[in-house]
Amino acid sequence: MEAFIEFLPFLMFLVLMPLLFSGFPVAFVLGGVGLGFWLLAVALGIENSNSFFLVVSRIFGGVVSKLVLVAIPMFIFMGTMLERSGVAKDLLHTLQLMTRRVPGGLALSVTILGVILAATTGIIGASVVMMTLLALPVMLERGYHSPLATGTIAASGTLGILLPPSIMLVVMADLLSTSAGSLFMAAIGPSLLLALLYLLYIFITTWRNPSLAPPLEITENTEQLSIMMVIRSFAPPVLLIVAVLGSIFGGFATPTEASGVGALGALLLAAFKGKLNISMLQDVLERSALTTAMLFGLFVGATAFSYVFALLGGHEAIIHLMESTGTGPWAILTLLMIVVFILGFFFDWIEITLIILPVFAPVIAKLDFGAHLFDPSLTVHWFAILMAVNLQTSFLTPPFGFALFYMKGAAPKSVKLAHIYKGIVPFVLLQLLGLVLLLIWPEIALWLPSASK
């Protein structure tokens, strides 16, 4: 019986995994498994029946009353409003003219647009669909190789999961009981590194084989690039980025307060461009509320699961298992990264994050990586950013890569799913290369949080 009781935390995962594939809402599965194992623990006499109220108080204190989580609906509203404001269309047109003489100029423009949208919306579905509708028909009309065009759009659209203000980083900060602002700072270097890898790949590939991305033909009717055009296109998103991220990094506002600034800025921007009306506002509010409700339902279920796991001695069991097998910190971290990558083939980032982080972050925090980390107090930050970079692949890897289905739903009928799958392969490899570079040089993520301490 003692051996069975010690095995209970691991049994929770064995029960959870098949149920996640059952089709039931993930929030109910997580909460239901947690409740079921708590009842089992009470029946076995290893838990007091009153401990249920500890789970309830943990949910209330960890989710319901957390002020920092107010940033989530605000950032969702900001991204949804920007999607409807028409900012991206003007920006892409200007970027096309700016890069018309560069090999793969339109693909490079789409990548730059993805970076800017990531820093203003942070909503993957919105970014991918928006760029698919705006850029993919133009790229195909210009004779772009379909896999290159689709891969560029899908990969660039996923940058929003990492580049601040990222909803995922807000969730991670809450789960790790750390500052969202410090995770925002840690994510800037890795996200720009990934964008740079995308740009280099596109430039080198199209320079070696120009037929993959024919340049823009200049005619008498081609609009001439002007300084005013650049200012009109870049000023709105840049000002919004400065208002949100600048206020956080400058110490003028918390992420929660900055999210309100971003939501107001997006509202004013839509009004300035003449896109704001009652019908549009109602649609944005409804979509924002549905997305927020889904996320918070997952928070409640995951909090119940992770807390029952801790009550059953899960963290101690993992540490004891690692100590008994003599597994070193690098082997543990590498194994976790492999597990997260494999889970990304089947689950969304929110499900993986809410399962992995609460269970393994306390374990990672106790590991000693020696002189490899110049600031050991930032070990958990490094782990969170490694997770975030790894989780970008979950949007691109079949069979359940959500970015692929967002794109297929918005793409012209001539674009087949096979083109999309073929196109994302090099970008997934680039994301894994970015993950390896971050493992080798933690300073890519940690220099900015360390400098701000």
Side-chain angles (χ1 to χ4, degrees):
M1 179 60 74
E2 288 186 9
F4 177 73
I5 292 173
E6 290 181 1
F7 187 68
L8 274 180
F10 301 104
L11 188 60
M12 288 185 71
F13 277 97
L14 292 178
V15 173
L16 175 67
M17 296 311 294
L19 289 177
L20 287 174
F21 289 96
S22 65
F24 286 104
V26 176
F28 296 157
V29 170
L30 286 167
V33 170
L35 179 60
F37 272 82
W38 172 81
L39 290 172
L40 178 59
V42 172
L44 293 174
I46 60 177
E47 274 298 329
N48 189 294
S49 59
N50 291 329
S51 63
F52 175 79
F53 297 101
L54 296 176
V55 179
V56 175
S57 64
R58 179 64 174 264
I59 292 172
F60 184 85
V63 179
V64 179
S65 62
K66 278 289 184 71
L67 188 60
V68 69
L69 294 181
V70 175
I72 293 176
M74 290 291 102
F75 282 137
I76 291 173
F77 176 86
M78 182 180 79
T80 309
M81 181 62 72
L82 281 174
E83 178 193 352
R84 301 287 301 274
S85 67
V87 171
K89 184 176 181 180
D90 297 340
L91 193 55
L92 180 61
H93 178 65
T94 302
L95 286 169
Q96 285 184 69
L97 296 177
M98 292 174 67
T99 60
R100 63 180 182 267
R101 301 185 188 279
V102 182
L106 182 51
L108 295 174
S109 299
V110 168
T111 305
I112 296 170
L113 177 62
V115 174
I116 296 173
L117 288 179
T120 51
T121 65
I123 301 177
I124 306 303
S127 297
V128 171
V129 170
M130 193 188 314
M131 290 198 293
T132 300
L133 293 173
L134 290 176
L136 188 55
V138 179
M139 297 173 87
L140 297 177
E141 185 180 335
R142 291 255 298 271
Y144 267 63
H145 187 51
S146 290
L148 175 63
T150 54
T152 299
I153 292 172
S156 302
T158 62
L159 287 171
I161 197 176
L162 181 61
L163 189 65
S166 162
I167 295 171
M168 183 178 69
L169 294 180
V170 176
V171 174
M172 285 185 166
D174 177 63
L175 293 174
L176 298 172
S177 299
T178 189
S179 164
S182 62
L183 284 188
F184 281 4
M185 286 188 282
I188 289 179
S191 55
L192 295 180
L193 171 64
L194 286 179
L196 180 61
L197 291 175
Y198 297 165
L199 291 170
L200 287 174
Y201 166 75
I202 293 168
F203 179 81
I204 293 172
T205 301
T206 55
W207 174 66
R208 294 179 61 186
N209 190 355
S211 64
L212 295 176
L216 176 66
E217 294 183 5
I218 307 299
T219 65
E220 293 181 0
N221 296 326
T222 302
E223 188 175 0
Q224 296 299 310
L225 185 68
S226 66
I227 295 177
M228 284 305 301
M229 181 189 299
V230 173
I231 293 174
R232 284 198 306 268
S233 301
F234 279 86
V238 168
L239 286 175
L240 194 59
I241 292 170
V242 171
V244 175
L245 298 184
S247 61
I248 295 173
F249 299 153
F252 302 110
T254 65
T256 304
E257 295 161 344
S259 68
V261 173
L264 177 61
L267 197 65
L268 294 176
L269 186 57
F272 177 75
K273 295 183 72 66
K275 302 287 186 178
L276 185 62
N277 54 56
I278 296 297
S279 176
M280 173 198 174
L281 181 60
Q282 182 178 352
D283 179 60
V284 169
L285 288 171
E286 183 176 337
R287 289 166 60 188
S288 300
L290 289 173
T291 304
T292 302
M294 180 270 293
L295 286 174
F296 276 79
L298 285 167
F299 292 159
V300 170
T303 301
F305 178 88
S306 62
Y307 195 62
V308 171
F309 181 84
L311 282 177
L312 296 178
H315 296 153
E316 293 79 6
I318 292 174
I319 293 173
H320 175 71
L321 179 65
M322 291 187 301
E323 290 176 346
S324 62
T325 56
T327 307
W330 282 105
I332 295 168
L333 184 60
T334 302
L335 179 62
L336 271 177
M337 290 299 106
I338 293 172
V339 169
V340 170
F341 177 70
I342 294 173
L343 288 175
F345 282 79
F346 306 103
F347 303 112
D348 196 2
W349 69 266
I350 184 67
E351 299 158 8
I352 301 172
T353 300
L354 293 175
I355 294 170
I356 296 294
L357 267 189
V359 173
F360 289 100
V363 176
I364 294 293
K366 295 180 180 180
L367 299 180
D368 182 13
F369 292 93
H372 189 70
L373 290 179
F374 64 92
D375 189 347
S377 67
L378 296 175
T379 300
V380 172
H381 292 71
W382 181 45
F383 175 60
I385 300 303
L386 287 171
M387 281 273 297
V389 173
N390 200 341
L391 285 171
Q392 284 207 55
T393 62
S394 69
F395 283 92
L396 299 181
T397 47
F400 299 122
F402 288 94
L404 310 182
F405 294 111
Y406 293 145
M407 172 174 286
K408 186 65 180 78
K413 292 183 178 179
S414 60
V415 176
K416 307 300 182 184
L417 200 56
H419 296 152
I420 300 175
Y421 283 166
K422 184 179 178 181
I424 57 93
V425 171
F427 291 96
V428 171
L429 295 176
L430 289 172
Q431 290 174 344
L432 294 177
L433 173 60
L435 180 63
V436 171
L437 294 175
L438 188 57
L439 280 165
I440 298 173
W441 291 292
E443 295 84 358
I444 296 172
L446 301 184
W447 71 272
L448 194 53
S450 180
S452 66
K453 290 176 70 175

